[in-house]
Amino acid sequence: MSRDIAVEPRTFALIGRFWASTIGKKAVMAVTGLVIVAYLFAHMLGNLKVFLGADAMNEYAAWLRRIGEPALPMGVFLWVMRCGLLLMVALHIVAAAQLTSRDRRARRVGYVHGRRRSLRGFAPSTMRWGGVTLALYVVWHVLDLTVGVANRDYVEADPYHNVVADFSVWWVDALYVVAMLMLGLHLNHGIASAARTLGLAGGRVGIVGTLVAVVITAGFLAVPIGVMAGLVG
């Protein structure tokens, strides 16, 4: 029993040292980032059900709330999943912020005339501000379509109506399009960076990352475009 108790401080110490290291933070960013990508892909597929009509989308939303029944009350699993995703996002952001701070402290001399910065490419240079933009948009999105406090036309348990009502407003569409374009840039660079951190390299990794970024971005943008074009609603 004493050995079991002694193992715990050692385990926590190892976790602490792993988190404190640069490679540890990069690994956390990579793993949490890939989990978030998987969620985004599933979420995108769910959103595309709007093109199948109100019944299909609303039934899908109701099924999500029923996952885990009867072991869990209705909707509990969905909120557990959301909390888990929130934890992934929080770890991703904290690791990114700490790595950025560490990089700034280590770099005593700034890039001359921004030459090195420009060589890094447009997508990598937008990772930081793109991440901040996406974090702010996620807060708005949750308030708008998840809890409904930012949507004047919100109807409980009717996601089809809420989506159509939301994307019938031009400035909501504009915010969404900008956020999704930033998401595409973030994914394009982030997936390749995560793959390198996890020991995967090569031209195919970059191609796959770009393909995933394009598919997810296009899938999300299809919904507001469909509403604006009159294909949905």
Side-chain angles (χ1 to χ4, degrees):
M1 183 174 179
S2 60
R3 286 185 61 186
D4 293 338
I5 295 174
V7 168
E8 290 188 9
R10 185 181 302 175
T11 301
F12 286 124
L14 289 173
I15 294 174
R17 285 199 294 270
F18 178 77
W19 171 256
S21 67
T22 297
I23 188 61
K25 293 184 189 301
K26 287 184 176 181
V28 169
M29 278 194 69
V31 173
T32 56
L34 293 176
V35 171
I36 294 168
V37 169
Y39 169 81
L40 287 172
F41 187 76
H43 187 40
M44 177 207 70
L45 292 178
N47 283 1
L48 291 177
K49 287 186 177 292
V50 73
F51 290 99
L52 300 179
D55 290 342
M57 186 168 192
N58 289 343
E59 287 174 7
Y60 170 72
W63 171 77
L64 288 176
R65 292 193 295 273
R66 290 196 302 269
I67 294 177
E69 289 188 320
L72 296 174
M74 186 173 182
V76 169
F77 178 85
L78 190 57
W79 278 105
V80 169
M81 184 179 66
R82 287 168 176 162
C83 291
L85 180 65
L86 181 61
L87 176 61
M88 295 294 104
V89 172
L91 288 171
H92 193 79
I93 292 174
V94 171
Q98 291 183 355
L99 282 171
T100 299
S101 177
R102 183 172 294 182
D103 181 61
R104 284 178 174 174
R105 290 196 303 268
R107 190 178 65 238
R108 297 181 179 180
V109 180
Y111 299 140
V112 178
H113 302 302
R115 290 176 61 189
R116 185 175 172 185
R117 182 181 179 86
S118 64
L119 291 174
R120 293 168 65 202
F122 179 71
S125 68
T126 61
M127 287 293 287
R128 188 176 307 146
W129 290 110
V132 173
T133 301
L134 289 171
L136 293 174
Y137 181 78
V138 166
V139 174
W140 158 261
H141 191 62
V142 169
L143 294 175
D144 185 24
L145 288 176
T146 302
V147 297
V149 297
N151 188 337
R152 291 183 299 177
D153 295 319
Y154 184 81
V155 176
E156 185 70 31
D158 193 350
Y160 183 87
H161 166 83
N162 297 333
V163 167
V164 172
D166 217 33
F167 292 130
S168 297
V169 181
W170 71 268
W171 61 266
V172 174
D173 290 328
L175 287 176
Y176 191 84
V177 169
V178 170
M180 291 307 102
L181 292 177
M182 295 301 292
L183 174 64
L185 290 172
H186 203 82
L187 291 177
N188 183 43
H189 179 68
I191 293 174
S193 179
R196 286 193 299 270
T197 298
L198 297 176
L200 302 174
R204 291 182 181 180
V205 172
I207 294 173
V208 171
T210 299
L211 181 61
V212 170
V214 170
V215 169
I216 290 179
T217 303
F220 278 120
L221 288 177
V223 178
I225 291 173
V227 174
M228 289 186 288
L231 301 175
V232 178

